[in-house]
Structure formats: structure tokens, C-alpha cells
Amino acid sequence: MANVAISAVGLVKWFGEGDTKTYAVKGANLDAYFGEMVFIVGPSGSGKTTLLSMLSGILRPNIGTVMVNGQNIWTLNSDELADFRLNTIGFVFQDYHLFPRLTTAENVAIPLILKKNNWDESIVEAKKYLDIVGLKNRGETLPVKLSGGEQQRVAIARAIISKPEILILDEPTASLDGDTGRMIIAFVKENILNDNRCILIVTHDSRINEYADRIIHMEDGQIIGLKEANE
């Protein structure tokens, strides 16, 4: 059996207290494995983003544990959590979060700069990753000059330059047309997923479900279904 990348047990998250207490996630359990692409789907407000935030070391659960490659991440202190997110997790945000005044290469190099790597060497490495995502010779281009699909690829290059074990994409096709969205997800599965990486995708876009190895369905803060590929 494939190695477990993430194992979450009994995750509960609430906000507020007393009469204002609201449960966002209610007792979620899941395993995700290296070498697979897992989709987390469900209506708005179902707890998908909250779950993802707990799995990635951003939001502390009120109850429950998260093991990432055998490490209980919520026993880490704040500095250790910051290092964990920088070195283990790669994020691709829905709105890309590219810096408009930086070139594409500079945007991609940011994780290396945060690790205090040499600037010039980081830019050279960033251009290699732009080549990986099909944007060779676009390193000096500003994000505003790129299409939505190209900006998404820049965000993917930035997310993988640190060679993270876990790659998380939040609504990666929300701002893209159907054909471009499918192209991006197909590209990620064919070129970014490998035996040493697990990819989690939160999405409302059923048009890309064919690319998932497994689909986890959430509703009202609970995981209510798990669908294997091709079922």
C-alpha cells in the first residue's frame, strides 16, 4: 500500500463561544497517500477550506490530530510550524497571489528567498521551474501580461520550487474557462504529481473530477462520502 502522506483523526473546529458557537468541521477523519490526487468537494460553507487549513498547519483544530508524513504537526511550536509550511506544504491560491510589480521569475523565487537563498541563484532556479510548467523564456514578464492559465502556472511553479511533499490547490479552476481548467489539472497530474508528493484540491468544478484519484465529499462540516476514481 502507498505511504500515508496525511492522516487526520477526529478533527473538530468551532468558532465563537456560547450562543454564538458555530461548528465548521465536525469530527473529520481522512487519510491521503503519496502519489495520489485527492479532491475535496462540497457546497460553500461545508467546511472544506477550514479542513484544508487544519491539514496544512494554518488553523489549529479544537480537537483532533493531524499527522503529516508521520509528524504530529499540532505539537509543533509557532516557529516549527512556519518551517513546516515553508518546507513541506506548497500552496496554489484561488486568486494566484502573484505580486504585480515582480516578474514571473521573481514571483516563483519567493520561497527560496524566504529560505535566505542567494537572490541570483534563486532567479536561475525559478526560471527552471517556469520551464517545467511550460513558460520557458517568460521569466522577465510581469503577471499582468499573462493569461489566467499562465498566471496559474506561475503560481504552481512557485508552489513546487521548494519540492514540497504536500501540494494544495484551492479552487484552481475557479477563474478559468472549462478547457483551460481541465488543461491545468491534467498538466498537474501528469507533470507535478509523483510518488513522493500528495496533491489536495478543493474544488466546486465537477468538470475536472475525472482527474481525481479519490473524491472526498463534505457537507455541514462532515465528510459524508468518499469516491474512488472511475466509480
Side-chain angles (χ1 to χ4, degrees), residues 29 73 230:
N29 302 296
I73 66 171
N230 302 318

Side-chain angles (χ1 to χ4, degrees), residues 28 32 35 44 57 61 79 93-94 106-108 149 153 156 159 188 197 208 210 217 230-231:
S44 296
D79 289 339
F93 299 98
Q94 179 176 339
E106 290 168 343
N107 269 284
V108 173
R153 288 184 181 228
I156 291 168
V188 169
R197 178 172 289 145
I208 61 173
E210 64 186 281
H217 190 89
N230 302 318
E231 282 188 1

Side-chain angles (χ1 to χ4, degrees), residues 4 12 20 33 35 44 48 62 64 70 125 128 135-136 140 158-159 165 177 180 203 206 230:
V4 178
V12 178
T20 65
Y33 299 89
S44 296
K48 303 186 303 297
N62 295 104
E125 189 72 3
K128 293 178 182 178
L135 293 175
K136 186 176 183 179
E140 303 305 318
R158 181 178 60 190
E165 296 172 328
D177 63 76
T180 303
T203 183
S206 60
N230 302 318

Side-chain angles (χ1 to χ4, degrees), residues 139-171:
E140 303 305 318
T141 305
L142 292 174
V144 71
K145 300 293 185 181
L146 301 176
S147 69
E150 289 171 330
Q151 291 184 45
Q152 184 70 283
R153 288 184 181 228
V154 173
I156 291 168
R158 181 178 60 190
I160 64 173
I161 195 169
S162 294
K163 302 179 178 65
E165 296 172 328
I166 312 297
L167 182 62
I168 294 174
L169 293 84
D170 186 12
E171 298 287 358

Side-chain angles (χ1 to χ4, degrees), residues 8 12-13 19-20 23 55-56 58 60 69 73 80 84 90 97 109 128 133 189 203:
V12 178
K13 184 64 184 178
D19 293 341
T20 65
Y23 284 85
L55 297 178
S56 57
I58 294 174
R60 184 178 295 274
N69 201 12
I73 66 171
E80 291 169 335
F84 162 78
H97 288 194
K128 293 178 182 178
V133 299
K189 185 156 192 178
T203 183

Side-chain angles (χ1 to χ4, degrees), residues 21-209:
K21 190 174 185 178
T22 302
Y23 284 85
V25 175
K26 308 170 186 176
N29 302 296
L30 68 86
D31 289 329
Y33 299 89
F34 287 111
E36 73 170 351
M37 180 182 283
V38 179
F39 286 12
I40 303 175
V41 305
S44 296
S46 60
K48 303 186 303 297
T49 298
T50 300
L51 175 63
L52 209 60
S53 296
M54 291 189 287
L55 297 178
S56 57
I58 294 174
L59 187 64
R60 184 178 295 274
N62 295 104
I63 301 172
T65 60
V66 177
M67 306 290 291
V68 178
N69 201 12
Q71 169 71 58
N72 185 347
I73 66 171
W74 290 112
T75 63
L76 303 176
N77 63 36
S78 57
D79 289 339
E80 291 169 335
L81 272 172
D83 286 341
F84 162 78
R85 290 190 295 267
L86 181 61
N87 295 297
T88 306
I89 306 291
F91 289 95
V92 181
F93 299 98
Q94 179 176 339
D95 297 322
Y96 317 136
H97 288 194
L98 302 180
F99 292 91
R101 295 188 179 182
L102 299 183
T103 66
T104 56
E106 290 168 343
N107 269 284
V108 173
I110 286 172
L112 301 184
I113 302 303
L114 290 174
K115 292 183 176 183
K116 305 186 186 315
N117 289 15
N118 175 271
W119 174 269
D120 291 335
E121 292 176 0
S122 297
I123 296 298
V124 169
E125 189 72 3
K127 289 180 177 179
K128 293 178 182 178
Y129 275 80
L130 285 170
D131 191 8
I132 289 172
V133 299
L135 293 175
K136 186 176 183 179
N137 300 323
R138 303 300 296 276
E140 303 305 318
T141 305
L142 292 174
V144 71
K145 300 293 185 181
L146 301 176
S147 69
E150 289 171 330
Q151 291 184 45
Q152 184 70 283
R153 288 184 181 228
V154 173
I156 291 168
R158 181 178 60 190
I160 64 173
I161 195 169
S162 294
K163 302 179 178 65
E165 296 172 328
I166 312 297
L167 182 62
I168 294 174
L169 293 84
D170 186 12
E171 298 287 358
T173 63
S175 302
L176 305 175
D177 63 76
D179 289 342
T180 303
R182 284 189 291 271
M183 179 185 69
I184 288 291
I185 300 304
F187 176 87
V188 169
K189 185 156 192 178
E190 293 168 11
N191 297 278
I192 308 302
L193 182 64
N194 59 50
D195 291 341
N196 299 309
R197 178 172 289 145
C198 174
I199 299 179
L200 301 178
I201 297 179
V202 167
T203 183
H204 285 93
D205 189 354
S206 60
R207 297 172 299 182
I208 61 173
N209 283 355

